[in-house]
Every structure is written in C-alpha cells, then in structure tokens.
Amino acid sequence: MIAPTFDADRHWRLHPQVAVRPEPFGALLYHFGTRKLSFLKNRTIVEVINSLSDHPDARSACRAAGIEDGDQAPYFHALGVLVQSQMLIADPGETP
C-alpha cells in the first residue's frame, strides 16, 4: 500500500493503532500494527498532532498551536514523515 502524500489542507488524524506517550522532550508514537516507533522532539508538534482531529486541516491545527503561516514548513515536513510512516491517516470521510 502506498501512503498518501501529505497535504496541509486535508483533514488528518492519528491512525487508530497509534499510541502517543508524552515525554519531557516531546513524545513517543508507537504503531501497534506496523510496530514502528517515532520520536517527536518538540512539544509544539505533539500539540498539533493531538489536535488534528479537532481541526478541518493540518494548517488550522498549526495555527491553533500558535505557529505562524511562515513558520509552518518544518511542521508540515514532520507531519509528512508521519503520513509516510502511517502514523497519521487522512480522514476516511473526506475525498481528496
């Protein structure tokens, strides 16, 4: 299966088989299906990921976390990596 390409204007959420464990440095994400482990080294990205399902798109989740539009590129990159590793999935009710 090919993972979708990250699009900041889509609605994303954590995969149902992913657990988030907060840590002093950020968080650990563990995917029980693929057995992959990801480290989030920034508390702001953890806040974005935890709030994705509350926002219509990733861009809005970043804005809600206080990330200005001009500063969102590194966060979008991190989210894209998580999409490729199947930690994040597009909302199944949304059409691309």
Side-chain angles (χ1 to χ4, degrees), residues 3-95:
T5 303
F6 177 74
D7 176 354
D9 297 313
R10 289 191 68 189
H11 184 227
W12 297 93
R13 63 184 178 91
L14 278 172
H15 189 287
Q17 290 184 310
V18 171
V20 178
R21 186 174 94 185
E23 295 287 343
F25 58 82
L28 295 173
L29 271 63
Y30 181 74
H31 193 301
F32 288 93
T34 64
R35 300 177 63 179
K36 289 182 183 178
L37 181 66
S38 291
F39 294 86
L40 302 178
K41 300 176 187 175
N42 171 317
R43 290 185 183 176
T44 304
I45 192 68
V46 176
E47 181 180 345
V48 170
I49 288 168
N50 284 331
S51 72
L52 282 172
S53 63
D54 299 332
H55 298 280
D57 52 54
R59 191 176 310 279
S60 299
C62 285
R63 287 177 183 150
I67 306 165
E68 298 291 328
D69 288 358
D71 298 328
Q72 292 177 355
Y75 293 91
F76 292 162
H77 174 76
L79 294 171
V81 170
L82 293 172
V83 167
Q84 291 300 311
S85 65
Q86 301 173 19
M87 297 286 184
L88 298 178
I89 58 172
D91 187 327
E94 180 187 80
T95 56

